[in-house]
């Protein structure tokens, strides 16, 4: 459109507030965090430059190394989560009796908030909870555990909640991708006498590959940002602290804002790598 | 269509039933608990159904003591203001970035796109200080300001639709003497309605369920439903059967939204993810 005075007015008017919000709540904070991460800022007073000390601490103090190690559990459970979501998407894709009912039930976890999910799984993992009761009922009583008190089991236990909570999102993405496969591909395959298994192997799986990769990277950037479940269920106790819980504790309980900033930047870098790979891959797939 | 063999069909049903059980089993004890009396809760195991399915004591108790009603109203206020603002801002930004060519357009578009790389959790140490200096901590305005920001996904959803709205429509309106604002108000905004619905559902669910932001900024009197539920649940003296009842009450709004808007949720999510 032509540049006129009135067009200039509307451009400025319509962009003003959103761009200010963008700068004040995203860009200024991330840039000041980079600066603060090299200081010993306490939340008040003048930040003092301490160079790489915060980062040194992060990479050498076992307490903080553990915080990042905990994320590995969340990345690990992404594997069964993606497999489950993928198989589900394959089976749901198609027309059959009860389709909508299944879809309705399967999406439930996606709609529940962190407090609800935490409560559900406290009941589930409790000593007299659902899991132990089920084990006993099927005759596997000897495998009963104190899932949330045993320091070896607590992290894998609460990490596995992610499977239940987030598979729905992966499922919807896979399902969406399957729906975009052109119908004539299937028709041609049908004419050629292709079986259902061949269809899955040669049509469905290849066309879902791109979405699969995006989902893996989403899981990586999600794992590094885990907060709600360990915070609400455990309050970080029994060695369940994640980077985001640690950021919150350092910044708001211990007033070590500089250190929290360094931790934030580390999380930020990992997310940048994951999301960056994702968009590179996305572009490559298009061209 | 490729014929599905009998074996495939059976396998599908087995798998889907299994998946549904996997989803439902952890929830069942919660539902049972909400209807149990305190004595019943301590004397029965988690998978025993309640004796009386019409026991409303826990629900009434949760409403009376937990301040959940008030929290639910707070959530409604926060959501309606911030979603209205966000959707309005998103349509405005998208209209300008899509229909006008001006210096700095690329830069602004890039700035919005790059927010994908800046997770909320990595900026809050500083954002908290900003909100604090604005004097907004423990006020609804803090959460509203943070929620109403325009996101790149919203812009993409709008762009998808704007691509299909003919530019000649704007041009002819312009020739007829309409101002740019009139074009936005009378032509663009009504046509963007479906995209607005998608965004409304997507972020509506997200914000209703969000815990991180309200827990950080609303620590005292004003609480959202999620935070109130957390406080309620964190208070060890609250009996578990009451917490369960409170949770079931909290699921009702989102359940209703889901039942009525199921179709939009599936396609909205799939659409948003594609773009």
């Amino acid at each position: 459109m032509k540049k006129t005075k009135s067009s200039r007015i509307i451009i400025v008017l319509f962009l003003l507030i959103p761009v200010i919000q963008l700068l004040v709540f995203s860009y200024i904070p991330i840039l000041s965090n980079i600066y603060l991460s090299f200081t010993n800022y306490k939340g008040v007073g003048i930040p003092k430059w301490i160079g790489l000390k915060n980062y040194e601490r992060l990479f050498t103090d076992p307490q903080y190394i553990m915080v990042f190690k905990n994320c590995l559990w969340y990345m690990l459970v992404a594997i069964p989560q993606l497999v489950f979501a993928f198989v589900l998407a394959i089976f749901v894709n198609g027309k059959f009796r009860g389709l909508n009912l299944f879809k309705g039930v399967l999406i439930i976890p996606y709609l529940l908030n962190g407090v609800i999910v935490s409560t559900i799984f406290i009941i589930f993992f409790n000593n007299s909870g659902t899991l132990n009761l089920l084990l006993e009922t099927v005759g596997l009583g000897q495998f009963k555990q104190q899932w949330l008190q045993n320091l070896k089991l607590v992290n894998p236990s609460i990490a596995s909640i992610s499977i239940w909570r987030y598979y729905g999102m992966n499922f919807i993405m896979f399902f969406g991708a399957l729906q975009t496969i052109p119908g004539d591909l299937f028709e041609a395959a049908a004419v050629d006498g292709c079986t259902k298994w061949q269809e899955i192997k040669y049509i469905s799986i290849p066309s879902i590959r791109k979405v699969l990769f995006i989902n893996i990277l989403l899981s990586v950037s999600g794992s590094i940002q885990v907060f709600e479940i360990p915070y609400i269920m455990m309050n970080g106790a029994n060695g369940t602290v994640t980077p985001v819980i640690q950021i919150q504790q350092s910044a708001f309980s211990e007033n070590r804002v500089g250190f929290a900033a360094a931790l934030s930047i580390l999380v930020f870098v990992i997310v940048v790598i994951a999301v960056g790979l994702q968009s590179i891959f996305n572009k490559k797939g298009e061209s | 269509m490729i014929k599905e063999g009998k074996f495939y069909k059976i396998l599908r049903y087995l798998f889907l039933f299994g998946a549904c059980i996997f989803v439902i089993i952890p929830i069942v004890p919660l539902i049972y608990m909400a209807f149990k009396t305190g004595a019943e809760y301590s004397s029965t195991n988690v998978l025993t159904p309640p004796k009386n399915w019409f026991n409303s004591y826990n629900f009434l108790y949760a409403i009376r003591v937990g301040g959940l009603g008030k929290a639910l109203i707070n959530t409604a206020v926060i959501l309606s203001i911030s979603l209205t603002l966000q959707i309005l801002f998103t349509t405005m930004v998208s209209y300008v970035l899509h229909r006008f060519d001006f210096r700095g357009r690329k830069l602004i578009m890039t700035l919005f796109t790059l927010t994908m790389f800046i997770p909320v959790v990595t900026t809050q140490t500083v954002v908290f200080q900003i909100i604090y200096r604005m004097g907004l901590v423990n006020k609804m305005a803090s959460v509203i300001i943070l929620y109403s920001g325009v996101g790149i996904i919203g812009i993409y959803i709008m762009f998808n639709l704007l691509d299909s709205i003919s530019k000649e429509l704007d041009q002819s309106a312009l020739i007829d003497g309409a101002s740019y604002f009139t074009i936005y108000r009378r032509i663009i905004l009504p046509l963007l309605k479906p995209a607005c619905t998608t965004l409304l559902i997507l972020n509506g669910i997200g914000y209703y369920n969000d815990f991180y932001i309200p827990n950080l900024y609303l620590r005292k009197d004003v609480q959202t439903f999620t935070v109130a539920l957390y406080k309620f649940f964190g208070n060890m003296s609250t009996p578990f059967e009451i917490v369960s009842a409170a949770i079931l009450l909290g699921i009702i709004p989102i359940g209703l939204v889901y039942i009525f808007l199921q179709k939009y949720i599936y396609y909205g999510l799939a659409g948003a993810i594609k773009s």
Side-chain angles (χ1 to χ4, degrees):
Chain A
M1 262 178 220
K2 265 186 221 150
K3 241 192 251 170
T4 59
K5 202 177 151 203
S6 65
S7 80
R8 228 168 281 154
I9 291 173
I10 199 148
I11 290 168
V12 173
L13 213 62
F14 274 21
L15 289 178
L16 194 64
I17 297 176
V19 170
I20 289 176
Q21 276 180 317
L22 187 68
L23 295 177
V24 173
F25 297 116
S26 292
Y27 285 97
I28 292 176
I30 198 74
L31 292 176
S32 19
N33 249 351
I34 294 176
Y35 164 67
L36 288 175
S37 73
F38 297 107
T39 71
N40 69 347
Y41 190 47
K42 299 263 187 292
V44 283
I46 296 156
K48 197 182 136 217
W49 187 270
I50 55 165
L52 286 169
K53 275 219 179 92
N54 286 328
Y55 290 99
E56 259 172 51
R57 185 96 197 269
L58 270 179
F59 287 112
T60 50
D61 191 328
Q63 186 194 342
Y64 303 117
I65 294 174
M66 185 197 76
V67 165
F68 279 90
K69 268 194 191 149
N70 285 346
C71 295
L72 293 178
W73 285 112
Y74 293 88
M75 289 181 199
L76 208 63
V77 298
I79 299 168
Q81 177 185 327
L82 289 175
V83 172
F84 179 59
F86 177 74
V87 177
L88 212 54
I90 296 256
F91 277 134
V92 168
N93 193 30
K95 280 201 177 77
F96 57 95
R97 204 187 277 247
L99 171 65
N100 282 328
L101 185 71
F102 283 122
K103 267 162 78 179
V105 172
L106 293 172
I107 198 73
I108 291 174
Y110 173 78
L111 301 171
L112 303 179
N113 68 47
V115 182
I116 298 179
V117 175
S118 299
T119 316
I120 287 175
F121 280 93
I122 281 187
I123 302 171
F124 187 80
F125 284 121
N126 245 341
N127 294 339
S128 55
T130 320
L131 182 56
N132 279 341
L133 187 68
L134 285 176
L135 284 173
E136 206 171 69
T137 317
V138 298
L140 295 171
Q142 72 267 33
F143 291 107
K144 275 167 57 174
Q145 299 288 347
Q146 297 195 313
W147 302 102
L148 301 179
Q149 281 82 42
N150 185 329
L151 297 185
K152 285 212 178 87
L153 289 175
V154 62
N155 276 309
S157 297
I158 57 174
S160 64
I161 297 171
S162 303
I163 305 178
W164 190 87
R165 189 175 187 203
Y166 293 119
Y167 84 88
M169 202 183 64
N170 308 117
F171 160 66
I172 290 173
M173 289 174 75
F174 287 137
F175 183 66
L178 284 176
Q179 299 254 297
T180 57
I181 301 173
D184 34 347
L185 215 57
F186 291 115
E187 271 159 41
V191 171
D192 290 344
C194 184
T195 68
K196 192 75 194 172
W197 303 110
Q198 286 170 324
E199 175 203 313
I200 292 170
K201 193 170 163 201
Y202 295 110
I203 302 179
S204 302
I205 293 181
S207 47
I208 228 169
R209 211 175 277 158
K210 183 177 143 189
V211 186
L212 178 69
F213 188 70
I214 292 174
N215 271 292
I216 292 172
L217 291 169
L218 265 177
S219 298
V220 172
S221 74
S223 310
I224 205 77
Q225 297 178 57
V226 168
F227 171 73
E228 290 185 347
I229 302 292
Y231 179 84
I232 299 169
M233 276 179 77
M234 309 297 300
N235 206 359
N238 294 0
T240 56
V241 178
T242 62
V244 180
I245 296 180
Q246 188 63 54
I247 291 173
Q248 191 149 322
Q249 276 176 4
S250 302
F252 303 114
S253 313
E254 301 160 9
N255 290 328
R256 292 159 64 209
V257 179
F259 182 73
L263 205 54
S264 303
I265 295 304
L266 204 55
V267 171
F268 170 67
V269 168
I270 295 171
V271 172
V272 165
I273 294 171
V275 181
L277 281 175
Q278 189 182 317
S279 33
I280 290 169
F281 193 80
N282 231 342
K283 284 222 180 78
K284 230 168 83 190
E286 270 160 28
S287 60
Chain B
M1 265 291 144
I2 290 163
K3 267 231 144 139
E4 292 168 354
K6 209 170 216 160
F7 178 63
Y8 181 82
K9 280 182 188 160
I10 294 171
L11 199 67
R12 161 190 277 163
Y13 278 111
L14 278 179
F15 190 85
L16 290 181
F17 270 118
C20 286
I21 289 172
F22 167 73
V23 166
I24 290 171
I25 284 259
I27 307 178
V28 168
L30 187 86
I31 299 171
Y32 286 173
M33 243 174 234
F35 293 95
K36 285 181 183 177
T37 63
E40 205 182 344
Y41 166 64
S42 45
S43 66
T44 58
N45 75 42
V46 287
L47 286 173
T48 314
K51 277 195 210 97
N52 177 11
W53 278 103
F54 296 98
N55 173 20
S56 58
Y57 175 83
N58 299 337
F59 294 94
L60 296 175
Y61 186 100
I63 294 170
R64 198 155 37 87
V65 177
L68 295 173
K70 207 176 124 204
L72 210 50
I73 294 171
N74 289 340
T75 301
V77 172
I78 290 174
L79 284 198
S80 41
I81 299 177
S82 51
L83 286 169
T84 309
L85 286 176
Q86 190 195 36
I87 289 170
L88 206 63
F89 287 158
T90 308
T91 57
M92 284 158 48
V93 167
S94 307
Y95 168 61
V96 169
L97 289 179
H98 192 270
R99 290 298 210 246
F100 295 88
D101 203 11
F102 56 94
R103 212 150 43 106
R105 181 185 163 277
K106 264 238 164 91
L107 174 72
I108 290 176
M109 193 62 202
T110 312
L111 284 179
F112 275 109
T113 312
L114 288 183
T115 51
M116 282 194 305
F117 293 97
I118 312 176
V120 173
V121 295
T122 62
T123 51
Q124 294 315 305
T125 43
V126 179
V127 171
F128 190 87
Q129 310 233 344
I130 295 171
I131 296 278
Y132 181 78
R133 276 178 208 159
M134 290 164 88
L136 295 180
V137 173
N138 287 322
K139 297 201 175 103
M140 279 195 218
S142 61
V143 178
I144 291 173
I145 287 183
L146 294 178
Y147 279 172
S148 59
V150 174
I152 186 65
I153 292 182
I155 295 179
Y156 279 150
I157 294 174
M158 298 294 162
F159 268 32
N160 270 345
L161 202 57
L162 280 168
D163 282 338
S164 66
I165 300 172
S166 153
K167 282 185 186 166
E168 282 157 27
L169 211 62
D170 316 18
Q171 291 293 357
S172 60
L174 202 61
I175 291 161
D176 288 345
S179 69
Y180 288 115
F181 184 76
T182 316
I183 294 172
Y184 163 77
R185 174 76 193 79
R186 293 285 154 109
I187 300 175
I188 302 292
L189 202 54
L191 287 171
L192 282 179
K193 233 186 218 163
C196 293
T197 317
T198 306
L199 199 59
L200 179 74
I201 294 169
L202 219 59
N203 287 344
I205 295 175
Y207 292 164
Y208 179 80
N209 281 338
D210 186 30
F211 172 73
Y212 184 74
I213 292 291
N215 181 54
L216 202 54
Y217 292 98
L218 305 177
R219 312 213 123 192
K220 277 193 250 156
D221 325 315
V222 195
Q223 286 173 348
T224 64
F225 185 72
T226 327
V227 175
L229 212 53
Y230 172 66
K231 292 275 155 73
F232 198 46
F233 155 89
N235 182 353
M236 287 307 167
S237 63
T238 315
F240 229 90
E241 66 274 12
I242 309 279
V243 175
S244 312
I247 285 176
L248 284 197
L249 290 176
I251 297 179
I252 292 172
I254 203 115
L256 287 177
V257 168
Y258 176 66
I259 289 166
F260 290 112
L261 301 173
Q262 184 178 0
K263 198 176 76 191
Y264 295 99
I265 294 178
Y266 261 90
Y267 292 100
L269 281 174
I273 286 156
K274 246 182 281 157
S275 57

